[in-house]
Amino acid sequence: DAAQQGGIVRLAVRVNFAGVGVSVLDGGMDELLYICAVGVKGAYVLGGDDESLELRVQHLQIDNTTDMGSPIVLATEHPSPNSNSSSCGPSSSLHLSLLRRFAAPSTATGRVL
């Protein structure tokens, strides 16, 4: 992307949260799900020719807070603070990376009569 290649960067936003929790409610304001994400890092970079979005989450858990079904819908292994991590840092349970390249402007020319 533009930031890595030394190109033009028009906008760069980076976020780093120790943890984020979100409750999903129904119409009666009763909690249906609780989503907890630990070690959340995100970056959005808008370059001259492209834009990129990256999201990393170390640990993710989704809990069913209703009386029906399993109490844990999804859980990833929580990294141990004593585990050996790679040179890139702790591993991520979720890693999303998107890159969009903008089309080059048309170089076609035409005559208007």
Side-chain angles (χ1 to χ4, degrees), residues 2-25:
Q4 292 175 343
Q5 296 174 3
I8 297 170
V9 175
R10 295 189 284 178
L11 175 69
V13 178
R14 300 190 193 302
V15 294
N16 187 1
F17 297 109
V20 177
V22 176
S23 289
V24 178
L25 309 174

Side-chain angles (χ1 to χ4, degrees), residues 17-21 35-40 57 59-61:
F17 297 109
V20 177
I35 303 167
C36 176
V38 175
V40 179
V57 177
H59 173 69
L60 179 66
Q61 183 163 334

Side-chain angles (χ1 to χ4, degrees), residues 57-79:
V57 177
Q58 274 188 305
H59 173 69
L60 179 66
Q61 183 163 334
I62 302 174
D63 295 330
N64 174 8
T65 56
T66 67
D67 294 333
M68 299 178 290
S70 173
I72 297 177
V73 176
L74 174 90
T76 61
E77 184 177 347
H78 204 297

Side-chain angles (χ1 to χ4, degrees), residues 38-52:
V38 175
V40 179
K41 294 181 179 184
Y44 172 77
V45 177
L46 177 61
D49 297 334
D50 60 20
E51 67 181 333
S52 65

